[in-house]
């Protein structure tokens, strides 16, 4: 049975994006449109990681235009980037093998319970 060659990650991905790419293509065989979404999600994962690093070194409050304390704008950017990553991953709509196995196990357990009730 021939195995399909896994697509390689784009060369300019960072650590987080390359990890997301490798772990995804190791489990799933993706179509071209899905690979495009994975590329965007991988780049967004890199952006999120860079923002997290910047926030770790930045103050949470910065001076506003009138000298008042206000949240660092990086907080909003980090939140928006994480929301975008979540949306891209949802749009990719990859099945969750662990959740599917749990559902199958629950159905089997329910079937056994029903069979015992029926035949006792």
């Amino acid at each position: 049975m021939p195995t399909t060659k896994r697509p390689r990650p784009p060369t300019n991905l960072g650590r987080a994006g390359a990890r997301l790419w490798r772990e995804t293509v190791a489990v799933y065989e993706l179509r071209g449109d899905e690979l495009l979404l994975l590329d965007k999600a991988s780049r967004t994962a890199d952006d999120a990681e860079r923002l997290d690093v910047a926030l770790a070194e930045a103050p949470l409050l910065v001076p506003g235009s009138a000298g008042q304390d206000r949240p660092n704008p990086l907080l909003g950017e980090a939140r928006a980037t994480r929301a975008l990553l979540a949306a891209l991953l949802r749009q990719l709509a990859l099945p969750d093998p662990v959740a599917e196995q749990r559902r199958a196990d629950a159905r089997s357990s329910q079937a056994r319970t029903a069979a015992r009730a029926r035949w006792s």
Side-chain angles (χ1 to χ4, degrees):
M1 174 180 196
T3 59
T4 31
K5 189 174 179 181
R6 291 186 185 131
R8 296 178 59 139
T11 56
N12 55 353
L13 286 180
R15 188 183 58 174
R19 183 179 62 243
L20 175 61
W21 181 283
R22 281 191 313 272
E23 289 176 0
T24 303
V25 299
V27 176
Y28 303 101
E29 191 173 321
L30 303 177
R31 301 181 316 256
D33 59 325
E34 293 170 328
L35 288 172
L36 180 61
L37 280 171
L38 178 58
D39 178 69
K40 298 300 180 198
S42 297
R43 292 177 196 286
T44 304
D46 284 341
D47 292 344
E49 183 175 61
R50 282 193 298 275
L51 284 165
D52 287 345
V53 168
L55 270 170
E57 300 169 357
L60 293 180
L61 296 175
V62 297
S65 60
Q68 79 282 16
D69 282 344
R70 61 182 291 270
N72 190 323
L74 288 175
L75 290 167
E77 289 299 318
R79 188 179 312 112
T81 302
R82 287 190 293 270
L84 174 60
L85 178 58
L88 287 166
L89 293 174
R90 266 192 315 274
Q91 190 175 358
L92 199 51
L94 297 174
D96 181 0
V98 173
E100 287 179 7
Q101 184 59 48
R102 285 185 185 140
R103 282 193 293 274
D105 291 347
R107 283 191 302 270
S108 294
S109 176
Q110 291 169 346
R112 278 193 300 277
T113 302
R116 284 189 196 118
R118 189 171 41 244
W119 296 104
S120 332

